[in-house]
Each structure stands twice: as C-alpha cells, then as structure tokens.
Amino acid sequence: MKAVERAKLVRSLRQESRRLRMLVLVIGFFLVTLTFVVVTKPDALLFNRKQPRPPPFLLRAGTSLGILRLDGTTGRNLVPVNGRLSVDQAPRSLLIRQRVDADADADAAARSADTLAAVDTKVVEDDNAAEEANANARAASEDEKRVLTSEPDQGKKAEQATASELLGGEDKDSTKDLQEGHQEHQEHKVTLPTVSNYTIHDATEDGDNGKQEVPVFTFPWCFGGPPDVADGKTEAEIKLAKDVDQSNGGDRSHQTALDNMDWNKPLCDFSNFRANVCEMRGNIRIHPNGSSVMYMEPPGSKRNEQWKVKPYPRKGDELCLGQITEVTVQSSNVAPECTKYHDVPAVIFSLTGYTGNLFHDFTDVLVPLFTTASEFNGEVQFLITNMAIWWTRKYGVVFEKLTKYPLIDFDKDNEVHCFKHAIVGLHAYMEFTIDPLKAPHNYSMVDFNRFMRRTYSLPRDAVTALGEIPKTKPRLLIISRQRTRMFLNLKEIVAMAEEIGYEVVVEEANVNSNVAHFAKVVNSVDVMMGVHGAGLTNCAFLPHGAILIQIVPWGALDGICRIDFGYPAEQMGLRYKHYSIGVHESSLTDQYPLDHEIFKNPLAFHKNGFEFVRQTFMDTQNVRLDCNRFRPVLLEALDQLNQ
C-alpha cells in the first residue's frame, strides 16, 4: 500500500515539476521580452506612442541636442535654458531627448555606436532611462511574483521619474502639471513632418562647456496632425469638417481650404461702396453655362445663401452694369457633376463696362485685378464674363504676369469647373487707388507701380538727382490731346520749357496707342504734364520720385481731378503738382460772356450731375496756358529734381 502511495506521490511531484518548469519558461520569456522593450525603446513605455525615425541630421556626429518639443496645441518653439525648461513650458506632447555631454571625449566611440543604434531603432535613446529600465528588469527577475503584481505601479513610477528628469528636477507641482498635460493629449497620435518642412533656427546655450548650438525645430500640423484639434472651432464646425471629409471619400486635398474657412462668414460681402465681392473656400462648382457659382454645403450645414453679383467694380452705376452678365452665387446640397478639376483658385470678373478708356482700363480692371490676384503668384485661373478678346490682347503681358493658365471665356464655356477656392468680383476702392488697410497683404499703389514697371521691363525704378549725370537735362513729357482739352498754344509751352532747361517730349495717348511703347517713353522722363484726362493714367509707368503736373480745366473740377490722379500719384510715390487754370486760360470765354454764370458760379452746374458737368466743362473746353503764370510750376519741379 505504501508503495502505491509512493508511486502516486512521485507522479504528482513530476507533474508539478513540469508545471513549474513551464511556468518558469513562460515567465522567463515574458521578462526577456520586457527587458528588450525597456532597453531598446524606453520612450515607448513613457508615452505609449509610436515614434517614427527622426531625420538624419538629428543624429549627426558632434550635434548636441537638448529637449526637442512638438507642441500639438500651440506649435511653439522651446529652447532649453541651461538644460532646463520653465514650468510653464513643460512639454505636453512628444519629447525626444538626447543626453548633452560635451565632455565625453573619452566616450566618443561609444556615442557613435549609440547613434548608429538609434538610427536602427528609429528613436533617440536616453542612456539614463535605459539604465533605469535594466535595473527594474533585474529586480523583477529576483522576485517574479512582485513583478507580475506590481508592474503597472513600476511603469507609473518610471514615467514620473523620467518626466521629472526631463523637467530638470522641478518640484512636484511641476511634475503633476506635466502628467495632467500628458494625460490630456494621450489619445493624439503624432506624425513627424519631413525635413523639407522644418523651420530651423540657431540658438545658443550657456553651460559648463561653453556655448553650444541648439537647433530648434518647428513642426507644422499640416501632415495629418492631431485629429479633432480645433483651434477655436466649435463642435458643430468640427462635425461639418468631418462630414465633408467623409462625403469626399476620405480625400483630404481640400483640408487646407477648410482650415482657412470662416464658418460664420457670409459667402459675399456687399459692404464696399464700389464693388461686391464673394469669396469661398471648400467644395465649389462653377457652371458658366448657367452663370452660377455653387458652394457645396457639408451634410448638416444650415447655410442657405443666394447672391446676385455683377463682377465689375462700378457698383450703383446702372448704365454701366446694364451690360454686365449677372452671376448667381449660392450654397447648395445639389450641383452638377464636375467635368474639370482645378488645383488653383478661381477669380471671376467682367471686361465690358467702361473698358476701352485708358483710365477705366486701369481703375476698373487692372488695379483691382492686381489687388485681387497678385497674392497667388500666377497660380490662379481667370474666368472672364463679357470677354473682349482685343482687350486681353492689348494687356496680354499683364495677364501673363498674373496667371499661368489660359483665360476662360465664362459666357461660352460649357464645363462644370470644380475649385477649392473661388473669388467672384474684384477688390476695388477709390478711383485708381488701393487701400492698403483693406487690400489683401496690405498691397498699395507703390506695389502696383512697381508691378507695372516690371511687367513691361522698364529700366528706371527711380529718378536720379540732377547733376549726378553730367550734361543731362531733365526730361519733360507733355501729354497732348486732339479732340477736347487740347493745348491751344502747345508750341509756346514747349519753347518756354526748353528755355528753362528741360528736354521736351510730346506724345499723344489714345485707345490705339501701343502700351509697351508708351510705357517706355513715360518711364524715360522725370516730369509728366497734361490736362485732366485719361492720358495721365500713364503715370503708372513713371519711375519712383518723378513729378506729375495736372492741368485742371475751368469748372470747379479740383476735387474730381485730385481724386482721379492727385491722390493716386502720391500713393504711388510720385510728387504731384496741381495747376488750376484761370478764366482767361479757358476756351469757354469764346462761347460765353465773362459775366455768365459759368464763370461766376461754376459749382452750381454740378447740381445737374456728372454727365452735365462732363459735357459742359470737359467735352467743350480747351486750354490756352498762360506761360508766365505756369512758368513757376516748372521751375519748382526743377528744384525738386535737384533735391
């Protein structure tokens, strides 16, 4: 009986021995795996994040790095001061740390090996963290049960210790703040951008080893970024963005347009007194055949807008706008399918209106078009209603500078064009001017003046002071006219100017003038003068610091003349002179007696409207300039050129 019991006991002990050996093998395998993870990827336990391989220049030999922070909330750059960060700069996102040790000359070979190891494992290792992990592993092997029961606590303590070390030994409150910030962003995954998107600055750090260069990197959130980070957006706006993303099959090519979109802003702005402008970002479909621009609403959006726009900057001028094609801008959930996709913004505008008159060519189209489209550096598609082919050819060089793409005739196109960004109408302000406080990128008339000189490859950017070039006379350009507001004594004016010391050039500007040729003539002179009219628009080609002299006809026209050319010239960086003729210099004395109301109270005629004023004082008046009275103006211009 005892032999049987002994046999049973032996079999039982053998089974228990097998179980114990199996348990030891399992626990041993687990400990080996845990030790390998802790040694090779200590940051994985600390942050529970997948860390992609850092760029090679982070690991290059001889580079000392402090703390490198990727801040998902603000994107700020953090530069360690004496190896430490202040409490308010405690990192709340990815921390990549490499030991700073400029004195380790004896360990150079070891550091090189560590660097190669870091490349293979795609992380920058922390020597101290690795040593702590090894110590924890050895302690675990001595007491298996304690390891299995207390592993979470040990991981938590290791995380606290490493965080405290990274903060440079700050107090417990600082560590607590770090833990709370880390927990707040624990769910966010981080994707490092490519090297080409790093913004690298040079900084210096004072320490025991002298000054060390510490590269600081800015990581933009344009490569996937933390999901659902809403920089001020409401939950509803985030939901709309998600819905749009889903409706596009996960295509995030429109994401930039969505991020830049003001969700509470109406599609169109009708507050400007000169022009109505609509601007949209998102899923936009333009159907020229239906004269419509449709902004596709995301699912759940309550936006319901419809606007009627005539994209020509003469708001309120029904005579002019009566010829302009009306474009309907609306938000919608239904739209025709796209037949052509564009990766650049669209700008829709009209060319009919008053174009053909040089002044209106500039004030109604060229200046507003520059203001609206210049920011895109040619990466913009123009869609033109009421297309005038001759006009686009006349200013072809300007279009070539503003867009790299063929012009689309809005009225004859049958495609359904899809854009991510579209502008209907042109930004326009006062006549022939740009308001830098309202214009995109604070563009001004100085920028437009420079743009026109470069567009036509004009050689002079600024006038030179007299005397710098020996035996060179200042050049005076007189803009002559052949139908109205003519100089009746042009030869006398030329002789007087030459007597003073000018080299005089006389040119006529009309609709048939070659723009490139006239631009070169204007750019070659120092002073330009002419009676109020479209020809003075050529001042846009004058070099910076040149002088414009406007001869104002009789009829209380000073205000109109200053608005049309005086203020624009000054805003372009030109020096402006205003000469109002007297009664005896006007040809109206040949039509009316000197005691007529037209001479006694010309301002009264303005009550009848601009058309009456134009017919009375502009279309039927010529100028006989009093050379003795005008002579001081030219002399003063000479003095200014000497300055």
Side-chain angles (χ1 to χ4, degrees):
M1 188 66 180
K2 292 182 179 179
V4 173
E5 291 178 354
R6 187 179 298 106
K8 290 181 179 180
L9 180 60
V10 169
R11 285 195 299 270
S12 176
L13 290 174
R14 289 177 179 174
Q15 291 176 355
E16 290 296 328
S17 177
R18 291 192 192 100
R19 291 172 184 165
L20 181 60
R21 286 197 298 271
M22 182 62 68
L23 179 61
V24 170
L25 288 175
V26 171
I27 294 176
F29 178 80
F30 172 79
L31 291 177
V32 169
T33 303
L34 179 62
T35 302
F36 176 81
V37 171
V38 170
V39 171
T40 58
K41 293 187 177 182
D43 288 339
L45 290 179
L46 178 60
F47 299 107
N48 193 27
R49 296 178 185 270
K50 180 180 180 180
Q51 299 179 5
R53 178 176 180 171
F57 60 86
L58 287 177
L59 303 173
R60 68 180 183 270
T63 300
S64 299
L65 293 179
I67 296 178
L68 181 62
R69 174 188 176 191
L70 180 60
D71 191 325
T73 57
T74 63
R76 293 172 298 181
N77 297 329
L78 298 182
V79 182
V81 179
N82 294 328
R84 298 187 178 186
L85 294 175
S86 61
V87 176
D88 60 342
Q89 290 181 321
R92 301 175 63 182
S93 182
L94 179 64
L95 296 174
I96 304 175
R97 189 167 186 268
Q98 184 180 22
R99 185 176 182 180
V100 180
D101 189 2
D103 291 332
D105 297 333
D107 298 333
R111 285 200 300 157
S112 300
D114 291 341
T115 301
L116 294 175
V119 173
D120 293 337
T121 59
K122 300 183 181 180
V123 295
V124 181
E125 295 191 29
D126 188 320
D127 297 336
N128 293 335
E131 293 173 3
E132 289 182 13
N134 291 331
N136 291 337
R138 288 193 297 270
S141 63
E142 294 174 359
D143 192 351
E144 297 172 358
K145 183 177 180 179
R146 186 177 61 186
V147 169
L148 295 175
T149 57
S150 63
E151 179 184 346
D153 294 336
Q154 291 181 5
K156 184 175 181 181
K157 291 179 180 179
E159 179 178 350
Q160 293 176 352
T162 307
S164 177
E165 179 186 355
L166 290 174
L167 285 173
E170 297 291 346
D171 56 19
K172 294 182 179 180
D173 293 337
S174 302
T175 305
K176 182 179 180 181
D177 292 340
L178 171 63
Q179 294 170 352
E180 292 175 356
H182 172 66
Q183 182 178 1
E184 179 182 353
H185 294 276
Q186 184 72 21
E187 69 278 11
H188 296 326
K189 298 293 183 181
V190 177
T191 303
L192 285 175
T194 60
V195 174
S196 62
N197 290 279
Y198 286 22
T199 302
I200 304 177
H201 307 280
D202 290 332
T204 57
E205 178 183 17
D206 294 330
D208 297 336
N209 301 315
K211 296 184 178 180
Q212 303 172 349
E213 294 185 356
V214 182
V216 181
F217 306 93
T218 300
F219 295 84
W221 285 117
C222 56
F223 290 84
D228 301 339
V229 175
D231 294 339
K233 292 186 176 66
T234 64
E235 294 182 2
E237 293 168 354
I238 298 172
K239 183 178 184 301
L240 288 177
K242 288 182 178 179
D243 292 338
V244 173
D245 183 51
Q246 294 174 0
S247 66
N248 282 273
D251 178 15
R252 300 189 63 83
S253 61
H254 63 283
Q255 189 62 43
T256 302
L258 286 175
D259 292 341
N260 293 330
M261 185 173 171
D262 187 344
W263 295 85
N264 298 318
K265 181 181 178 182
L267 298 179
C268 298
D269 180 8
F270 278 31
S271 63
N272 189 305
F273 79 98
R274 266 204 71 188
N276 295 330
V277 179
C278 304
E279 185 166 5
M280 296 147 281
R281 299 175 187 267
N283 188 351
I284 303 156
R285 308 198 179 178
I286 299 177
H287 191 199
N289 194 34
S291 297
S292 64
V293 177
M294 308 189 77
Y295 166 73
M296 298 302 296
E297 297 185 27
S301 172
K302 297 181 180 180
R303 184 191 291 269
N304 183 19
E305 299 182 38
Q306 186 179 70
W307 307 81
K308 302 290 185 180
V309 181
K310 292 191 174 182
Y312 188 84
R314 280 286 159 187
K315 185 176 179 179
D317 189 338
E318 298 304 326
L319 177 65
C320 172
L321 296 182
Q323 312 172 58
I324 307 299
T325 299
E326 186 176 71
V327 178
T328 301
V329 177
Q330 61 183 346
S331 57
S332 176
N333 293 317
V334 181
E337 292 295 327
C338 300
T339 61
K340 193 168 184 178
Y341 293 86
H342 301 265
D343 293 327
V344 298
V347 174
I348 302 174
F349 61 97
S350 178
L351 278 186
T352 303
Y354 293 135
T355 52
N357 175 284
L358 184 64
F359 176 72
H360 288 283
D361 288 350
F362 276 72
T363 189
D364 292 351
V365 180
L366 295 181
V367 173
L369 187 60
F370 166 81
T371 306
T372 306
S374 184
E375 64 174 314
F376 302 117
N377 295 318
E379 296 296 332
V380 61
Q381 176 67 65
F382 292 156
L383 296 92
I384 304 176
T385 73
N386 311 103
M387 173 78 84
I389 298 298
W390 69 269
W391 199 93
T392 60
R393 290 175 179 170
K394 180 178 181 179
Y395 296 104
V397 64
V398 178
F399 283 108
E400 290 174 2
K401 285 291 185 180
L402 290 175
T403 179
K404 300 176 182 177
Y405 303 91
L407 306 179
I408 295 178
D409 189 335
F410 190 89
D411 300 325
K412 297 181 180 180
D413 190 90
N414 294 319
E415 301 277 0
V416 177
H417 300 269
C418 288
F419 292 89
K420 303 168 190 174
H421 183 191
I423 302 174
V424 182
L426 301 175
H427 294 291
Y429 310 99
M430 297 293 289
E431 296 286 9
F432 197 23
T433 59
I434 301 173
D435 186 346
L437 298 179
K438 299 178 181 178
H441 300 281
N442 304 115
Y443 289 131
S444 68
M445 287 302 289
V446 172
D447 298 312
F448 178 75
N449 180 237
R450 184 187 303 113
F451 168 77
M452 294 304 291
R453 292 197 306 266
R454 293 178 178 176
T455 297
Y456 286 93
S457 302
L458 304 179
R460 300 178 71 208
D461 287 330
V463 297
T464 55
L466 297 181
E468 289 188 4
I469 304 178
K471 298 181 181 180
T472 300
K473 293 183 178 181
R475 286 170 59 86
L476 168 66
L477 172 62
I478 300 178
I479 303 294
S480 64
R481 299 174 60 92
Q482 296 299 322
R483 292 189 299 273
T484 64
R485 283 162 277 160
M486 297 185 297
F487 285 118
L488 298 177
N489 59 335
L490 181 58
K491 291 183 179 180
E492 183 183 356
I493 298 171
V494 171
M496 182 264 296
E498 290 178 342
E499 180 186 349
I500 292 176
Y502 285 98
E503 177 186 344
V504 181
V505 179
V506 180
E507 289 281 350
E508 178 184 1
N510 55 53
V511 69
N512 297 319
S513 298
N514 182 286
V515 179
H517 166 74
F518 212 90
K520 286 182 172 60
V521 172
V522 173
N523 186 253
S524 70
V525 304
D526 305 291
V527 182
M528 186 174 86
M529 63 173 281
V531 181
H532 173 79
L536 296 183
T537 310
N538 288 288
C539 67
F541 304 114
L542 284 171
H544 188 82
I547 299 173
L548 174 66
I549 304 174
Q550 181 173 202
I551 312 299
V552 181
W554 179 261
L557 301 176
D558 297 81
I560 296 174
C561 293
R562 285 189 181 276
I563 290 174
D564 288 350
F565 297 109
Y567 299 141
E570 291 173 342
Q571 291 183 23
M572 276 188 263
L574 306 178
R575 289 174 279 194
Y576 174 71
K577 293 192 174 301
H578 193 88
Y579 179 83
S580 299
I581 69 170
V583 173
H584 67 287
E585 296 174 281
S586 171
S587 66
L588 292 177
T589 56
D590 299 332
Q591 305 173 41
Y592 302 95
L594 292 177
D595 59 351
H596 194 277
E597 188 72 11
I598 201 171
F599 299 120
K600 291 184 176 180
N601 188 17
L603 192 59
F605 289 79
H606 289 246
K607 297 177 182 179
N608 298 317
F610 178 76
E611 279 301 311
F612 182 81
V613 170
R614 183 176 63 80
Q615 294 173 8
T616 304
F617 295 109
M618 296 185 182
D619 294 348
T620 61
Q621 181 176 192
N622 295 316
V623 175
R624 187 181 294 106
L625 207 60
D626 184 341
C627 290
N628 291 328
R629 182 169 178 257
F630 184 69
R631 185 185 184 97
V633 177
L634 290 181
L635 289 173
E636 185 178 350
L638 274 178
D639 290 339
Q640 289 185 338
L641 291 174
N642 279 315
Q643 296 175 0

